[in-house]
Amino acid sequence: MTVGTLIVAAGSGERFGGLKQFERVGGVTLLDSAIAHARSVSNRIVVALPVGVRLPDSTPELVYTYGDDTRSGSVANAFRALGDGFDYVLIHDAARPFASEALFERVVAALARGCAAVVPAIASADTLKLVEQGMVRETLDRSRIVRVQTPQGFAQEVLAEVVQADRDATDEAAIAEQLGYPVTVVAGEELAAKVTVRSDLDRLRTPRVGLGFDIHPFDPDGGGDLILAGEHFGPPGLVGHSDGDCLAHAVADAILGAAGIGGIGDLFSDTDPALRGADSMELLGQCLREVVAKGYQVHSIDATIIAERPRLGPSLGALGQALEVVLGTAVLVKAKRAEGLGAIGAGLGIATLVVASLL
Ligand code: CTP
Ligand code: MG
């Protein structure tokens, strides 16, 4: 039994507002996730990409080709690139990156039982109504209606006819049905939901959380200015290899930790002479670029500065805004006194705690 899988990824993502197939979740593009889930059942995978992108190198198991303006055009191109010799052909949307291997296996098992065409589907939990011009015309019998997903499976010769028919449809099973083939339904899954608009993507993303902590002593000689989030508060300053900005450092540690990269010390050495007196907000910007390169976006930052002095209350809004300029996300900055306890309570230094969440 040989299975070829066509992954259609040549759409322009009009409703999403960009090429959603190349968006990343957990550091991996939707397309690559779809390919990974299809691999276990597929002897060969053909990916149809939008005209204009560079085609990655193909291998016998993974072939890249260009799609077309219509979905059926993209399917036809991919089917041609697949070549002969496959008993069954699956068609899968790159926009359904988390359809499980078990779902692929269910579709193939139905084909192996002799089904001509197979679609996964799930029941609608919502009541469904037929609406015309803003008015309900009819309440439908929900028990008879399903939502259809991909991967859809076809006996090779059935798909050959579907492609030959050269009709456009939102799924190929509709064309097989029009041609008179029986279309079998197998259980779909919520995981196989399609990414259509941007909020669909946020739902698929699991938030990642990171904790940042930093502590610096005040310079006993006064030194330079105290600097927090790049804002100057006058002397005494904090001792540090860079500008001693312990708020920027804790934010950097929190976002790097959430992304699984490490801490700020893993990126910037505190013995590097080039970093003496460095602008920590500049370093934070570089940390953010590392986080974004791994496919994450900063979702929220909650920071607490623990300090006996100076009085930070009136400046907290400005600190949040300075961080927001670098991170592009609203940042909450709070301040607490240590109530005279320990070294911080004795006014010997400042500590910061930051929790960051990434999507
Ligand atoms: N697709 C394709 N070729 C097309 C149109 C769609 O390969 N000409 C693919 C998409 O890349 C996607 C799948 O078909 O993986 C499902 O289509 P859809 O969700 O409609 O994606 P887009 O067409 O990209 O989005 P939109 O309709 O909002 O433009
Ligand atoms: Mg479309």
Side-chain angles (χ1 to χ4, degrees):
M1 171 175 93
T2 51
V3 177
T5 298
L6 316 179
I7 297 186
V8 282
S12 54
E14 224 162 277
R15 287 167 289 178
F16 185 89
L19 296 178
K20 58 192 178 187
Q21 55 273 51
F22 304 123
E23 287 285 327
R24 285 170 193 270
V25 170
V28 181
T29 66
L30 302 194
L31 172 59
D32 285 342
S33 289
I35 293 171
H37 288 110
R39 269 190 196 276
S40 67
V41 300
S42 310
N43 299 91
R44 177 177 295 160
I45 296 173
V46 179
V47 179
L49 289 175
V51 173
V53 308
R54 198 189 64 80
L55 290 187
D57 291 338
S58 294
T59 63
E61 291 78 35
L62 181 58
V63 176
Y64 291 93
T65 187
Y66 285 120
D68 206 345
D69 291 343
T70 62
R71 180 192 169 90
S72 55
S74 297
V75 168
N77 286 2
F79 189 51
R80 213 170 302 120
L82 178 66
D84 296 329
F86 294 87
D87 303 316
Y88 309 120
V89 184
L90 308 185
I91 300 176
H92 186 49
D93 297 336
R96 300 181 191 271
F98 298 119
S100 70
E101 290 179 6
L103 180 59
F104 277 88
E105 282 161 14
R106 241 176 354 259
V107 172
V108 171
L111 292 168
R113 283 199 304 274
C115 298
V118 181
V119 294
I122 49 179
S124 170
D126 299 319
T127 297
L128 297 162
K129 293 181 194 286
L130 199 67
V131 174
E132 275 172 11
Q133 288 156 356
M135 300 298 290
V136 172
R137 251 214 38 207
E138 196 186 331
T139 297
L140 302 173
D141 179 0
R142 190 174 72 186
S143 68
R144 297 181 59 218
I145 293 178
V146 293
R147 294 190 284 136
V148 168
Q149 307 176 316
T150 74
Q152 303 193 346
F154 304 87
Q156 199 273 347
E157 61 280 7
V158 173
L159 187 60
E161 256 190 73
V162 164
V163 169
Q164 183 72 33
D166 194 22
R167 301 181 193 175
D168 203 20
T170 52
D171 76 341
E172 290 60 44
I175 305 170
E177 175 198 333
Q178 289 163 15
L179 294 175
Y181 285 104
V183 178
T184 302
V185 176
V186 297
E189 57 185 23
E190 287 298 342
L191 262 181
K194 185 157 73 77
V195 173
T196 304
V197 294
R198 229 163 244 284
S199 56
D200 295 333
L201 198 58
D202 292 339
R203 254 201 309 281
L204 290 175
R205 289 187 158 132
T206 319
R208 295 177 62 107
V209 174
L211 174 67
F213 170 74
D214 200 22
I215 186 164
H216 284 259
F218 280 115
D219 190 332
D221 305 325
D225 288 349
L226 166 67
I227 299 172
L228 295 171
E231 304 282 311
H232 287 246
F233 289 86
L238 295 172
V239 179
H241 182 68
S242 63
D243 60 5
D245 187 335
C246 66
L247 179 55
H249 295 172
V251 172
D253 264 6
I255 64 171
L256 291 172
I261 295 172
I264 190 169
D266 295 312
L267 262 59
F268 305 105
S269 158
D270 61 2
T271 54
D272 183 349
L275 294 177
R276 180 163 297 283
D279 177 349
S280 296
M281 292 294 268
E282 182 65 38
L283 303 185
L284 176 61
Q286 291 185 45
C287 293
L288 176 69
R289 282 192 283 282
E290 297 286 330
V291 167
V292 170
K294 281 202 82 176
Y296 300 113
Q297 65 199 47
V298 178
H299 181 60
S300 71
I301 301 277
D302 181 18
T304 296
I305 305 169
I306 309 164
E308 295 299 299
R309 61 190 164 99
R311 220 166 74 77
L312 292 168
S315 310
L316 295 176
L319 298 186
Q321 273 163 24
L323 289 166
E324 182 173 350
V325 167
V326 174
L327 297 171
T329 311
V331 176
L332 182 64
V333 182
K334 313 184 295 303
K336 271 270 186 297
R337 292 181 58 246
E339 305 300 335
L341 293 171
I344 301 291
L348 298 180
I350 290 184
T352 46
L353 277 169
V354 174
V355 172
S357 72
L358 308 181
L359 279 177

